[in-house]
Every structure is written in structure tokens, then in C-alpha cells.
Amino acid sequence: MKQVTHFHPALRVLHWLMAMLFIGVAMVSTVSSLHALLVSLHKPLGLMILLLVLVRLWLRFFTATPPLPRSIPGWQRGLAHLSHWILYALMLAQPLIGWAMLSAAGYPITIGAGIVLPPLLPVNNDVYALLRPLHSLVALLLFVTIMGHLAAALLHALILRDGVFESMTGQRKP
């Protein structure tokens, strides 16, 4: 397989689109008068993230990805790959836990045009009581992992200038 210097354009678009969607999902924690509106947007955004991460994983498995520069020590390369797979796992788990949590609480998830998603679990208050804090914990882990990812991206873009950041933006290395 030919070595590539940039991620596939579809992967780059999905990466930046999902970054914006995560900002939208995070807005649910506001205490403003818009809280109810934001909560109603939270569910379809979560479903959209689930669908996009599935597409993104499919693309990730079937397209070539650029290698990390040789200047990066092996342990950091391993940590970078591990952190990406942790991000994928959390991005898959979070909306599924939310969907299962709402199912266990007996709340239907409706998306545009009155489409109601099937429940993942039967109504069960004990299961809901387990999934509610798990949804919050995974959200926190996702936030911390994304902040680490952002810090690494800024390190590569602003300090190391080794082409890693440009591989996701599509720009050429300066």
C-alpha cells in the first residue's frame, strides 16, 4: 500500500464535524433559560455522533493513514495510537449508554419527523440508576481524552511543527 502524508479527505471532514458536534452536545450542561432546548437537541446530536463514528471507523479501517514522524519516540507513538482507540471506544459507548439509559427510564427517543427509536433495554429503574452516573462518567472521560488530544494537536502544530497537525488539516508542512 502506498504511504500517504494526509488522512483521507472524508476522515478529515468527519473529524472536524464531530469536533463541532461535541461542542454542541457539551452545551447541555448550561444553566441558562435555553437548557430545555439544548437537552432536546442533545439526543439527536448524540445519535448523529454515533452514526458518524461508525462511518469514521469504517473509513479508518479501509483507508491508509499517514505514519507518525520517526522523530516521535516509540512510547509516544504507542500512546498516540492507544488514545485514538480510546476516543473511538468512548465515542461509541457514550451515545449507546445514553440511549440505553433513556430506554431503561422509559423515555422514548424521537428524532425529526416523529421517528421513534426502538428501546435498547426494557424499562428498569435499577438499570437506569446504574446507567445515569455511567453516562456522566463516560462524558467526563471523553472530555479529558479530547482535551489531551487537543493538547497533543497544539503541541504538534505550534511547537514541534512536525507535520502531524497538517496531516489532519490537509495543509502542507511549512
mmCIF file of all heavy atoms in Angstrom, residues 128-174:
data_model
loop_
_atom_site.group_PDB
_atom_site.id
_atom_site.type_symbol
_atom_site.label_atom_id
_atom_site.label_comp_id
_atom_site.label_asym_id
_atom_site.label_seq_id
_atom_site.Cartn_x
_atom_site.Cartn_y
_atom_site.Cartn_z
ATOM 1 N N TYR A 128 -31.487 1.953 35.068
ATOM 2 C CA TYR A 128 -31.366 3.392 34.844
ATOM 3 C C TYR A 128 -30.440 4.022 35.895
ATOM 4 O O TYR A 128 -29.588 4.848 35.570
ATOM 5 C CB TYR A 128 -32.738 4.075 34.882
ATOM 6 C CG TYR A 128 -32.640 5.577 34.845
ATOM 7 C CD1 TYR A 128 -32.416 6.247 33.649
ATOM 8 C CD2 TYR A 128 -32.733 6.328 36.016
ATOM 9 C CE1 TYR A 128 -32.290 7.633 33.618
ATOM 10 C CE2 TYR A 128 -32.615 7.712 35.993
ATOM 11 C CZ TYR A 128 -32.393 8.358 34.791
ATOM 12 O OH TYR A 128 -32.264 9.721 34.756
ATOM 13 N N ALA A 129 -30.610 3.611 37.148
ATOM 14 C CA ALA A 129 -29.797 4.156 38.238
ATOM 15 C C ALA A 129 -28.318 3.832 38.055
ATOM 16 O O ALA A 129 -27.460 4.576 38.528
ATOM 17 C CB ALA A 129 -30.294 3.626 39.577
ATOM 18 N N LEU A 130 -27.993 2.758 37.361
ATOM 19 C CA LEU A 130 -26.594 2.430 37.059
ATOM 20 C C LEU A 130 -26.083 3.206 35.835
ATOM 21 O O LEU A 130 -24.935 3.663 35.813
ATOM 22 C CB LEU A 130 -26.444 0.928 36.794
ATOM 23 C CG LEU A 130 -26.610 -0.007 37.979
ATOM 24 C CD1 LEU A 130 -26.648 -1.458 37.507
ATOM 25 C CD2 LEU A 130 -25.492 0.202 38.983
ATOM 26 N N LEU A 131 -26.934 3.341 34.835
ATOM 27 C CA LEU A 131 -26.506 3.966 33.577
ATOM 28 C C LEU A 131 -26.388 5.485 33.672
ATOM 29 O O LEU A 131 -25.557 6.078 32.988
ATOM 30 C CB LEU A 131 -27.457 3.583 32.447
ATOM 31 C CG LEU A 131 -27.433 2.106 32.041
ATOM 32 C CD1 LEU A 131 -28.501 1.830 30.986
ATOM 33 C CD2 LEU A 131 -26.066 1.703 31.549
ATOM 34 N N ARG A 132 -27.192 6.113 34.517
ATOM 35 C CA ARG A 132 -27.157 7.582 34.612
ATOM 36 C C ARG A 132 -25.783 8.088 35.038
ATOM 37 O O ARG A 132 -25.197 8.926 34.360
ATOM 38 C CB ARG A 132 -28.272 8.068 35.566
ATOM 39 C CG ARG A 132 -28.320 9.564 35.735
ATOM 40 C CD ARG A 132 -28.739 10.205 34.402
ATOM 41 N NE ARG A 132 -28.606 11.629 34.448
ATOM 42 C CZ ARG A 132 -27.595 12.322 33.901
ATOM 43 N NH1 ARG A 132 -26.623 11.706 33.299
ATOM 44 N NH2 ARG A 132 -27.565 13.622 33.964
ATOM 45 N N PRO A 133 -25.211 7.594 36.148
ATOM 46 C CA PRO A 133 -23.867 8.064 36.505
ATOM 47 C C PRO A 133 -22.795 7.569 35.525
ATOM 48 O O PRO A 133 -21.787 8.248 35.319
ATOM 49 C CB PRO A 133 -23.635 7.520 37.912
ATOM 50 C CG PRO A 133 -24.659 6.477 38.128
ATOM 51 C CD PRO A 133 -25.795 6.754 37.191
ATOM 52 N N LEU A 134 -23.029 6.399 34.908
ATOM 53 C CA LEU A 134 -22.065 5.909 33.911
ATOM 54 C C LEU A 134 -22.011 6.848 32.716
ATOM 55 O O LEU A 134 -20.935 7.137 32.181
ATOM 56 C CB LEU A 134 -22.433 4.489 33.476
ATOM 57 C CG LEU A 134 -21.493 3.847 32.455
ATOM 58 C CD1 LEU A 134 -20.072 3.726 33.008
ATOM 59 C CD2 LEU A 134 -22.030 2.478 32.038
ATOM 60 N N HIS A 135 -23.176 7.364 32.295
ATOM 61 C CA HIS A 135 -23.228 8.319 31.182
ATOM 62 C C HIS A 135 -22.424 9.577 31.532
ATOM 63 O O HIS A 135 -21.685 10.095 30.699
ATOM 64 C CB HIS A 135 -24.688 8.671 30.876
ATOM 65 C CG HIS A 135 -24.909 9.413 29.596
ATOM 66 N ND1 HIS A 135 -24.580 8.902 28.372
ATOM 67 C CD2 HIS A 135 -25.436 10.639 29.361
ATOM 68 C CE1 HIS A 135 -24.893 9.774 27.437
ATOM 69 N NE2 HIS A 135 -25.407 10.853 28.009
ATOM 70 N N SER A 136 -22.554 10.035 32.764
ATOM 71 C CA SER A 136 -21.792 11.202 33.214
ATOM 72 C C SER A 136 -20.300 10.899 33.292
ATOM 73 O O SER A 136 -19.467 11.726 32.906
ATOM 74 C CB SER A 136 -22.290 11.676 34.580
ATOM 75 O OG SER A 136 -23.627 12.106 34.475
ATOM 76 N N LEU A 137 -19.943 9.726 33.801
ATOM 77 C CA LEU A 137 -18.535 9.342 33.914
ATOM 78 C C LEU A 137 -17.884 9.232 32.539
ATOM 79 O O LEU A 137 -16.773 9.734 32.328
ATOM 80 C CB LEU A 137 -18.399 8.016 34.668
ATOM 81 C CG LEU A 137 -16.980 7.450 34.762
ATOM 82 C CD1 LEU A 137 -16.071 8.388 35.554
ATOM 83 C CD2 LEU A 137 -17.006 6.064 35.379
ATOM 84 N N VAL A 138 -18.565 8.593 31.609
ATOM 85 C CA VAL A 138 -18.012 8.460 30.252
ATOM 86 C C VAL A 138 -17.893 9.836 29.607
ATOM 87 O O VAL A 138 -16.919 10.112 28.898
ATOM 88 C CB VAL A 138 -18.842 7.478 29.392
ATOM 89 C CG1 VAL A 138 -18.393 7.487 27.939
ATOM 90 C CG2 VAL A 138 -18.726 6.064 29.966
ATOM 91 N N ALA A 139 -18.853 10.722 29.869
ATOM 92 C CA ALA A 139 -18.755 12.089 29.342
ATOM 93 C C ALA A 139 -17.496 12.771 29.873
ATOM 94 O O ALA A 139 -16.772 13.437 29.128
ATOM 95 C CB ALA A 139 -20.000 12.898 29.716
ATOM 96 N N LEU A 140 -17.225 12.600 31.156
ATOM 97 C CA LEU A 140 -16.024 13.192 31.754
ATOM 98 C C LEU A 140 -14.756 12.580 31.157
ATOM 99 O O LEU A 140 -13.817 13.292 30.812
ATOM 100 C CB LEU A 140 -16.052 13.010 33.276
ATOM 101 C CG LEU A 140 -14.869 13.579 34.040
ATOM 102 C CD1 LEU A 140 -14.760 15.093 33.838
ATOM 103 C CD2 LEU A 140 -14.988 13.247 35.514
ATOM 104 N N LEU A 141 -14.729 11.263 31.015
ATOM 105 C CA LEU A 141 -13.571 10.602 30.411
ATOM 106 C C LEU A 141 -13.376 11.056 28.964
ATOM 107 O O LEU A 141 -12.242 11.266 28.528
ATOM 108 C CB LEU A 141 -13.737 9.080 30.455
ATOM 109 C CG LEU A 141 -13.671 8.434 31.826
ATOM 110 C CD1 LEU A 141 -14.037 6.950 31.734
ATOM 111 C CD2 LEU A 141 -12.298 8.621 32.438
ATOM 112 N N LEU A 142 -14.463 11.212 28.257
ATOM 113 C CA LEU A 142 -14.394 11.686 26.877
ATOM 114 C C LEU A 142 -13.840 13.106 26.835
ATOM 115 O O LEU A 142 -12.966 13.427 26.028
ATOM 116 C CB LEU A 142 -15.782 11.616 26.239
ATOM 117 C CG LEU A 142 -15.908 11.778 24.744
ATOM 118 C CD1 LEU A 142 -14.981 10.868 23.975
ATOM 119 C CD2 LEU A 142 -17.337 11.534 24.320
ATOM 120 N N PHE A 143 -14.313 13.955 27.738
ATOM 121 C CA PHE A 143 -13.828 15.329 27.801
ATOM 122 C C PHE A 143 -12.325 15.367 28.084
ATOM 123 O O PHE A 143 -11.570 16.068 27.416
ATOM 124 C CB PHE A 143 -14.596 16.115 28.871
ATOM 125 C CG PHE A 143 -14.091 17.512 29.067
ATOM 126 C CD1 PHE A 143 -14.387 18.505 28.152
ATOM 127 C CD2 PHE A 143 -13.293 17.823 30.155
ATOM 128 C CE1 PHE A 143 -13.904 19.797 28.318
ATOM 129 C CE2 PHE A 143 -12.807 19.113 30.337
ATOM 130 C CZ PHE A 143 -13.110 20.104 29.412
ATOM 131 N N VAL A 144 -11.886 14.590 29.074
ATOM 132 C CA VAL A 144 -10.465 14.568 29.433
ATOM 133 C C VAL A 144 -9.631 14.039 28.267
ATOM 134 O O VAL A 144 -8.566 14.591 27.944
ATOM 135 C CB VAL A 144 -10.246 13.715 30.712
ATOM 136 C CG1 VAL A 144 -8.773 13.413 30.946
ATOM 137 C CG2 VAL A 144 -10.849 14.417 31.915
ATOM 138 N N THR A 145 -10.105 13.001 27.598
ATOM 139 C CA THR A 145 -9.376 12.428 26.471
ATOM 140 C C THR A 145 -9.318 13.410 25.305
ATOM 141 O O THR A 145 -8.275 13.556 24.654
ATOM 142 C CB THR A 145 -10.013 11.091 26.037
ATOM 143 O OG1 THR A 145 -10.157 10.251 27.177
ATOM 144 C CG2 THR A 145 -9.166 10.377 25.000
ATOM 145 N N ILE A 146 -10.414 14.101 25.048
ATOM 146 C CA ILE A 146 -10.427 15.111 23.975
ATOM 147 C C ILE A 146 -9.476 16.260 24.316
ATOM 148 O O ILE A 146 -8.756 16.752 23.444
ATOM 149 C CB ILE A 146 -11.861 15.615 23.709
ATOM 150 C CG1 ILE A 146 -12.678 14.519 23.029
ATOM 151 C CG2 ILE A 146 -11.849 16.882 22.857
ATOM 152 C CD1 ILE A 146 -14.158 14.812 22.922
ATOM 153 N N MET A 147 -9.441 16.668 25.568
ATOM 154 C CA MET A 147 -8.511 17.741 25.962
ATOM 155 C C MET A 147 -7.059 17.299 25.782
ATOM 156 O O MET A 147 -6.207 18.076 25.337
ATOM 157 C CB MET A 147 -8.757 18.188 27.406
ATOM 158 C CG MET A 147 -10.067 18.942 27.610
ATOM 159 S SD MET A 147 -10.152 20.485 26.676
ATOM 160 C CE MET A 147 -11.226 20.011 25.334
ATOM 161 N N GLY A 148 -6.769 16.045 26.091
ATOM 162 C CA GLY A 148 -5.424 15.510 25.848
ATOM 163 C C GLY A 148 -5.103 15.476 24.370
ATOM 164 O O GLY A 148 -3.992 15.813 23.941
ATOM 165 N N HIS A 149 -6.083 15.084 23.574
ATOM 166 C CA HIS A 149 -5.929 15.055 22.113
ATOM 167 C C HIS A 149 -5.672 16.467 21.583
ATOM 168 O O HIS A 149 -4.778 16.675 20.756
ATOM 169 C CB HIS A 149 -7.201 14.461 21.499
ATOM 170 C CG HIS A 149 -7.183 14.317 20.024
ATOM 171 N ND1 HIS A 149 -6.460 13.339 19.370
ATOM 172 C CD2 HIS A 149 -7.815 15.019 19.056
ATOM 173 C CE1 HIS A 149 -6.642 13.453 18.065
ATOM 174 N NE2 HIS A 149 -7.466 14.469 17.843
ATOM 175 N N LEU A 150 -6.435 17.428 22.086
ATOM 176 C CA LEU A 150 -6.261 18.817 21.672
ATOM 177 C C LEU A 150 -4.881 19.337 22.076
ATOM 178 O O LEU A 150 -4.206 20.011 21.299
ATOM 179 C CB LEU A 150 -7.365 19.686 22.281
ATOM 180 C CG LEU A 150 -7.302 21.182 21.991
ATOM 181 C CD1 LEU A 150 -7.364 21.461 20.498
ATOM 182 C CD2 LEU A 150 -8.422 21.903 22.719
ATOM 183 N N ALA A 151 -4.457 19.009 23.289
ATOM 184 C CA ALA A 151 -3.129 19.443 23.749
ATOM 185 C C ALA A 151 -2.031 18.864 22.859
ATOM 186 O O ALA A 151 -1.088 19.578 22.473
ATOM 187 C CB ALA A 151 -2.910 19.029 25.202
ATOM 188 N N ALA A 152 -2.160 17.589 22.511
ATOM 189 C CA ALA A 152 -1.163 16.966 21.623
ATOM 190 C C ALA A 152 -1.192 17.619 20.240
ATOM 191 O O ALA A 152 -0.135 17.869 19.638
ATOM 192 C CB ALA A 152 -1.424 15.466 21.518
ATOM 193 N N ALA A 153 -2.392 17.913 19.734
ATOM 194 C CA ALA A 153 -2.507 18.559 18.422
ATOM 195 C C ALA A 153 -1.834 19.929 18.433
ATOM 196 O O ALA A 153 -1.104 20.289 17.499
ATOM 197 C CB ALA A 153 -3.979 18.691 18.023
ATOM 198 N N LEU A 154 -2.062 20.683 19.499
ATOM 199 C CA LEU A 154 -1.433 22.009 19.603
ATOM 200 C C LEU A 154 0.079 21.894 19.759
ATOM 201 O O LEU A 154 0.827 22.713 19.211
ATOM 202 C CB LEU A 154 -2.045 22.795 20.760
ATOM 203 C CG LEU A 154 -3.500 23.227 20.549
ATOM 204 C CD1 LEU A 154 -4.069 23.852 21.810
ATOM 205 C CD2 LEU A 154 -3.634 24.165 19.361
ATOM 206 N N LEU A 155 0.547 20.894 20.487
ATOM 207 C CA LEU A 155 1.985 20.658 20.613
ATOM 208 C C LEU A 155 2.608 20.432 19.235
ATOM 209 O O LEU A 155 3.628 21.031 18.891
ATOM 210 C CB LEU A 155 2.247 19.451 21.527
ATOM 211 C CG LEU A 155 3.697 18.975 21.604
ATOM 212 C CD1 LEU A 155 4.539 19.973 22.398
ATOM 213 C CD2 LEU A 155 3.772 17.590 22.224
ATOM 214 N N HIS A 156 1.961 19.575 18.445
ATOM 215 C CA HIS A 156 2.483 19.281 17.102
ATOM 216 C C HIS A 156 2.368 20.485 16.170
ATOM 217 O O HIS A 156 3.250 20.725 15.344
ATOM 218 C CB HIS A 156 1.764 18.072 16.498
ATOM 219 C CG HIS A 156 2.174 16.782 17.116
ATOM 220 N ND1 HIS A 156 3.365 16.164 16.832
ATOM 221 C CD2 HIS A 156 1.553 15.999 18.033
ATOM 222 C CE1 HIS A 156 3.461 15.054 17.526
ATOM 223 N NE2 HIS A 156 2.365 14.928 18.277
ATOM 224 N N ALA A 157 1.290 21.249 16.303
ATOM 225 C CA ALA A 157 1.063 22.381 15.398
ATOM 226 C C ALA A 157 1.947 23.575 15.726
ATOM 227 O O ALA A 157 2.499 24.202 14.813
ATOM 228 C CB ALA A 157 -0.406 22.807 15.449
ATOM 229 N N LEU A 158 2.084 23.894 17.007
ATOM 230 C CA LEU A 158 2.722 25.150 17.391
ATOM 231 C C LEU A 158 4.172 25.011 17.846
ATOM 232 O O LEU A 158 4.950 25.959 17.696
ATOM 233 C CB LEU A 158 1.914 25.821 18.504
ATOM 234 C CG LEU A 158 0.453 26.114 18.170
ATOM 235 C CD1 LEU A 158 -0.279 26.651 19.382
ATOM 236 C CD2 LEU A 158 0.343 27.053 16.986
ATOM 237 N N ILE A 159 4.529 23.863 18.397
ATOM 238 C CA ILE A 159 5.879 23.723 18.948
ATOM 239 C C ILE A 159 6.732 22.787 18.092
ATOM 240 O O ILE A 159 7.791 23.175 17.606
ATOM 241 C CB ILE A 159 5.821 23.248 20.419
ATOM 242 C CG1 ILE A 159 5.120 24.338 21.253
ATOM 243 C CG2 ILE A 159 7.224 22.951 20.957
ATOM 244 C CD1 ILE A 159 4.791 23.933 22.656
ATOM 245 N N LEU A 160 6.295 21.554 17.914
ATOM 246 C CA LEU A 160 7.100 20.591 17.160
ATOM 247 C C LEU A 160 7.107 20.872 15.654
ATOM 248 O O LEU A 160 8.101 20.622 14.989
ATOM 249 C CB LEU A 160 6.614 19.158 17.430
ATOM 250 C CG LEU A 160 6.691 18.691 18.880
ATOM 251 C CD1 LEU A 160 6.111 17.298 19.014
ATOM 252 C CD2 LEU A 160 8.123 18.747 19.394
ATOM 253 N N ARG A 161 5.979 21.315 15.152
ATOM 254 C CA ARG A 161 5.834 21.611 13.714
ATOM 255 C C ARG A 161 6.389 20.476 12.855
ATOM 256 O O ARG A 161 7.181 20.688 11.939
ATOM 257 C CB ARG A 161 6.504 22.934 13.372
ATOM 258 C CG ARG A 161 5.867 24.092 14.103
ATOM 259 C CD ARG A 161 6.506 25.395 13.761
ATOM 260 N NE ARG A 161 5.891 26.430 14.591
ATOM 261 C CZ ARG A 161 5.942 27.692 14.313
ATOM 262 N NH1 ARG A 161 6.565 28.109 13.239
ATOM 263 N NH2 ARG A 161 5.358 28.562 15.099
ATOM 264 N N ASP A 162 5.933 19.274 13.175
ATOM 265 C CA ASP A 162 6.462 18.074 12.525
ATOM 266 C C ASP A 162 5.547 17.484 11.460
ATOM 267 O O ASP A 162 5.785 16.391 10.964
ATOM 268 C CB ASP A 162 6.785 17.022 13.585
ATOM 269 C CG ASP A 162 5.589 16.669 14.470
ATOM 270 O OD1 ASP A 162 4.464 17.135 14.185
ATOM 271 O OD2 ASP A 162 5.786 15.937 15.456
ATOM 272 N N GLY A 163 4.460 18.199 11.111
ATOM 273 C CA GLY A 163 3.562 17.736 10.058
ATOM 274 C C GLY A 163 2.388 16.905 10.541
ATOM 275 O O GLY A 163 1.500 16.590 9.757
ATOM 276 N N VAL A 164 2.370 16.536 11.820
ATOM 277 C CA VAL A 164 1.270 15.714 12.339
ATOM 278 C C VAL A 164 -0.049 16.476 12.255
ATOM 279 O O VAL A 164 -1.048 15.948 11.768
ATOM 280 C CB VAL A 164 1.558 15.249 13.789
ATOM 281 C CG1 VAL A 164 0.336 14.568 14.396
ATOM 282 C CG2 VAL A 164 2.750 14.309 13.807
ATOM 283 N N PHE A 165 -0.056 17.719 12.697
ATOM 284 C CA PHE A 165 -1.282 18.522 12.656
ATOM 285 C C PHE A 165 -1.733 18.729 11.204
ATOM 286 O O PHE A 165 -2.917 18.605 10.895
ATOM 287 C CB PHE A 165 -1.049 19.870 13.346
ATOM 288 C CG PHE A 165 -2.288 20.719 13.450
ATOM 289 C CD1 PHE A 165 -3.238 20.458 14.414
ATOM 290 C CD2 PHE A 165 -2.500 21.773 12.572
ATOM 291 C CE1 PHE A 165 -4.384 21.235 14.519
ATOM 292 C CE2 PHE A 165 -3.642 22.558 12.673
ATOM 293 C CZ PHE A 165 -4.585 22.278 13.642
ATOM 294 N N GLU A 166 -0.795 18.997 10.339
ATOM 295 C CA GLU A 166 -1.143 19.245 8.912
ATOM 296 C C GLU A 166 -1.724 18.003 8.255
ATOM 297 O O GLU A 166 -2.492 18.122 7.304
ATOM 298 C CB GLU A 166 0.106 19.723 8.159
ATOM 299 C CG GLU A 166 0.566 21.113 8.545
ATOM 300 C CD GLU A 166 1.343 21.171 9.855
ATOM 301 O OE1 GLU A 166 1.724 20.103 10.375
ATOM 302 O OE2 GLU A 166 1.553 22.281 10.370
ATOM 303 N N SER A 167 -1.386 16.816 8.753
ATOM 304 C CA SER A 167 -1.938 15.586 8.158
ATOM 305 C C SER A 167 -3.450 15.515 8.358
ATOM 306 O O SER A 167 -4.139 14.848 7.585
ATOM 307 C CB SER A 167 -1.256 14.352 8.738
ATOM 308 O OG SER A 167 -1.635 14.135 10.080
ATOM 309 N N MET A 168 -3.977 16.210 9.368
ATOM 310 C CA MET A 168 -5.423 16.215 9.600
ATOM 311 C C MET A 168 -6.096 17.455 9.004
ATOM 312 O O MET A 168 -7.284 17.436 8.754
ATOM 313 C CB MET A 168 -5.729 16.113 11.106
ATOM 314 C CG MET A 168 -7.209 15.957 11.427
ATOM 315 S SD MET A 168 -8.119 14.728 10.460
ATOM 316 C CE MET A 168 -7.710 13.216 11.291
ATOM 317 N N THR A 169 -5.334 18.500 8.753
ATOM 318 C CA THR A 169 -5.939 19.698 8.157
ATOM 319 C C THR A 169 -5.853 19.681 6.644
ATOM 320 O O THR A 169 -6.569 20.434 5.978
ATOM 321 C CB THR A 169 -5.250 20.972 8.669
ATOM 322 O OG1 THR A 169 -3.885 20.964 8.274
ATOM 323 C CG2 THR A 169 -5.379 21.112 10.176
ATOM 324 N N GLY A 170 -4.979 18.864 6.098
ATOM 325 C CA GLY A 170 -4.801 18.814 4.649
ATOM 326 C C GLY A 170 -3.783 19.801 4.145
ATOM 327 O O GLY A 170 -3.500 19.855 2.951
ATOM 328 N N GLN A 171 -3.192 20.596 5.032
ATOM 329 C CA GLN A 171 -2.178 21.563 4.628
ATOM 330 C C GLN A 171 -0.847 20.859 4.430
ATOM 331 O O GLN A 171 -0.626 19.764 4.924
ATOM 332 C CB GLN A 171 -2.022 22.644 5.697
ATOM 333 C CG GLN A 171 -3.269 23.440 5.944
ATOM 334 C CD GLN A 171 -3.087 24.384 7.141
ATOM 335 O OE1 GLN A 171 -2.203 24.199 7.954
ATOM 336 N NE2 GLN A 171 -3.951 25.380 7.227
ATOM 337 N N ARG A 172 0.035 21.540 3.750
ATOM 338 C CA ARG A 172 1.404 21.048 3.595
ATOM 339 C C ARG A 172 2.218 21.478 4.797
ATOM 340 O O ARG A 172 1.978 22.533 5.379
ATOM 341 C CB ARG A 172 2.045 21.604 2.313
ATOM 342 C CG ARG A 172 1.339 21.168 1.069
ATOM 343 C CD ARG A 172 1.767 19.749 0.721
ATOM 344 N NE ARG A 172 1.005 19.304 -0.430
ATOM 345 C CZ ARG A 172 0.453 18.118 -0.504
ATOM 346 N NH1 ARG A 172 0.546 17.271 0.477
ATOM 347 N NH2 ARG A 172 -0.198 17.756 -1.580
ATOM 348 N N LYS A 173 3.214 20.678 5.144
ATOM 349 C CA LYS A 173 4.113 21.029 6.242
ATOM 350 C C LYS A 173 4.880 22.300 5.869
ATOM 351 O O LYS A 173 5.424 22.394 4.775
ATOM 352 C CB LYS A 173 5.087 19.872 6.489
ATOM 353 C CG LYS A 173 6.004 20.082 7.657
ATOM 354 C CD LYS A 173 6.880 18.878 7.848
ATOM 355 C CE LYS A 173 7.946 19.173 8.888
ATOM 356 N NZ LYS A 173 8.855 18.063 9.047
ATOM 357 N N PRO A 174 4.893 23.316 6.784
ATOM 358 C CA PRO A 174 5.594 24.550 6.452
ATOM 359 C C PRO A 174 7.098 24.341 6.349
ATOM 360 O O PRO A 174 7.647 23.462 6.946
ATOM 361 C CB PRO A 174 5.256 25.479 7.627
ATOM 362 C CG PRO A 174 4.790 24.589 8.729
ATOM 363 C CD PRO A 174 4.325 23.327 8.118
#
